[in-house]
Amino acid sequence: MLTITELKQLLSAPKKIVITTHHKPDGDAMGSSLGLYAYLIQLGHHVKVITPTDYPEFLHWMPYNSEVLVFTEHLQESAKLVEEADLIFCLDFNSLSRINELGELVGKSSGYKIMIDHHLDPQDFDDFRHWSINACAAAQLVYDFIVNELNGAEYIDKYVATCLYTGIMTDSGSFRFPSATSEVYRIAADLIDLGAEHWRIHQLVYDNASENRLRFLGHCLSNKLTVIRAYNTAIITVTKEELNQFQIVTGETEGIVNYALSINGIKLAAFIVERPDRVKLSLRSMGDFPANEICSKYFNGGGHRNAAGGSSDGTLLEVVEKFKQILPEYKSQLLM
């Protein structure tokens, strides 16, 4: 493993750098990636952000978004950049499987790999690790990495601040999750002082929905919501035909699970959607209930205690039935 002194030495002269993040990037993934990009280019490095897949249009307003390369749309260029990179920053993921086919290229690259992440059980593919499961977002760790590890606070301009604030805001649930500690609020205040327009960022992320998305949300809540009071659980299920019917694009299902969790008395919520390749689950929970345990134990996934995800090769009906059959195992925790 590299020491921080060795990493600083590497960064003391211009390098070829790739920044990547998990597939189907969310606000934290793009906020941390573009925030780090905005910092590194000020130091004279040659930097490219490569995402494994596309990402929601409501994040395309972010600073330097035009510099992002989507791997699935630029295979050869992306492969060349990864192969020639001196350093590869891996943000908001800790297993190469989380970046799909791009993971094989990153694993083979001779460039140093720097992991900045807050998920459980990191895979040992990195050369330097800035990691904590206590951070509310990867963007919080990027802030800490720049300020406290690299002593680069002077380089946090309004563009860096805007990106990092976006990451922290989205992954903390607009600062309402338990992970939004007093330290997180102090970092957010610092980023606002440095130029992040918090009101505008919130508007661009949360008040920027398509008409299709709103109609789809209404359909989910009116027709697809099942409440299981015996286990304080709510489930929303969606077929691939319904996704096509409402012309749902990347990112437009994000956050719908939270509506199920907002029902009075509900402790666990699931959004289960049939994608073209497999069935995906998003779980959210209240208090100490381990949503991540269910995902890691039964659905090939993981995440945080209150926000986790998984997938299955089974049919939508099979996955929903399996999820329901799991609930009795957690009955005492769900009824606490």
Side-chain angles (χ1 to χ4, degrees):
M1 298 289 281
L2 288 170
T3 66
I4 187 59
T5 301
E6 291 169 331
L7 181 55
K8 284 182 179 179
Q9 182 61 36
L10 285 170
L11 292 170
S12 65
K15 293 291 187 296
K16 294 180 180 179
I17 297 176
V18 164
I19 300 170
T20 190
T21 187
H22 59 76
H23 69 96
K24 295 299 180 184
D26 55 11
D28 186 28
M30 296 310 302
S32 55
S33 296
L34 290 170
L36 182 61
Y37 173 94
Y39 165 74
L40 290 171
I41 61 171
Q42 294 181 70
L43 304 181
H45 297 294
H46 307 286
V47 190
K48 201 69 177 179
V49 175
I50 302 176
T51 61
T53 60
D54 62 350
Y55 51 96
E57 287 191 13
F58 62 76
L59 297 174
H60 287 194
W61 61 269
M62 294 179 67
Y64 301 110
N65 178 74
S66 61
E67 299 300 315
V68 176
L69 206 63
V70 178
F71 174 70
T72 51
E73 300 171 9
H74 302 275
L75 296 173
Q76 293 184 345
E77 185 180 357
S78 298
K80 188 172 186 292
L81 287 166
V82 170
E83 181 182 8
E84 296 177 351
D86 299 308
L87 298 100
I88 302 174
F89 281 88
C90 302
L91 307 187
D92 202 27
F93 72 94
N94 59 26
S95 170
L96 293 179
S97 64
R98 292 279 286 139
I99 55 175
N100 300 349
E101 293 83 0
L102 183 57
E104 185 176 347
L105 298 178
V106 170
K108 290 179 179 179
S109 174
S110 61
Y112 291 105
K113 287 87 174 175
I114 296 92
M115 179 197 298
I116 302 179
D117 183 57
H118 62 138
H119 295 93
L120 292 166
D121 304 321
Q123 178 189 13
D124 292 327
F125 68 86
D126 51 320
D127 300 294
F128 181 89
R129 183 176 301 176
H130 191 70
W131 172 79
S132 173
I133 61 171
N134 295 318
C136 77
Q140 178 186 348
L141 290 172
V142 171
Y143 173 93
D144 182 64
F145 179 68
I146 293 172
V147 173
N148 298 316
E149 297 285 1
L150 301 182
N151 302 314
E154 63 186 290
Y155 294 101
I156 300 186
D157 59 15
K158 66 177 181 179
Y159 301 114
V160 178
T162 294
C163 294
L164 297 185
Y165 185 93
T166 302
I168 291 171
M169 178 192 75
T170 52
D171 240 32
S172 67
S174 293
F175 303 95
R176 74 180 190 274
F177 294 161
S179 58
T181 62
S182 58
E183 179 185 2
V184 172
Y185 275 91
R186 281 190 285 270
I187 292 172
D190 186 38
L191 295 174
I192 291 171
D193 289 342
L194 291 166
E197 296 178 307
H198 60 96
W199 56 272
R200 181 173 175 270
I201 294 170
H202 190 281
Q203 183 181 60
L204 288 167
V205 173
Y206 294 116
D207 301 328
N208 198 17
S210 69
E211 180 181 342
N212 285 342
R213 202 266 183 182
L214 284 184
R215 293 187 183 281
F216 176 68
L217 172 61
H219 170 70
C220 288
L221 298 181
S222 178
N223 304 314
K224 307 297 299 196
L225 174 66
T226 300
V227 178
I228 308 174
R229 286 292 178 184
Y231 297 105
N232 288 335
T233 296
I235 307 172
I236 296 174
T237 60
V238 176
T239 67
K240 57 186 176 183
E241 288 78 18
E242 287 167 316
L243 294 177
N244 292 330
Q245 175 189 346
F246 288 91
Q247 301 177 46
I248 296 303
V249 298
T250 296
E252 290 191 323
T253 62
E254 190 170 320
I256 292 178
V257 65
N258 294 320
Y259 288 92
L261 190 64
S262 70
I263 298 170
N264 183 39
I266 294 302
K267 195 160 188 178
L268 175 64
F271 182 78
I272 307 176
V273 57
E274 182 185 29
R275 297 291 184 181
D277 56 338
R278 60 203 296 110
V279 175
K280 300 289 184 69
L281 300 88
S282 293
L283 302 189
R284 298 294 183 270
S285 67
M286 292 287 192
D288 293 329
F289 187 85
N292 56 344
E293 181 180 309
I294 290 179
C295 287
S296 62
K297 191 174 179 180
Y298 294 104
F299 297 108
N300 309 301
H304 306 291
R305 178 173 292 273
N306 299 123
S311 64
S312 172
D313 292 326
T315 67
L316 179 63
L317 185 62
E318 289 170 345
V319 173
V320 171
E321 189 59 32
K322 179 178 179 179
F323 178 78
K324 289 180 178 179
Q325 289 175 358
I326 292 166
L327 296 178
E329 178 183 343
Y330 293 92
K331 183 173 182 178
S332 61
Q333 291 168 271
L334 289 167
L335 299 182
M336 283 178 63

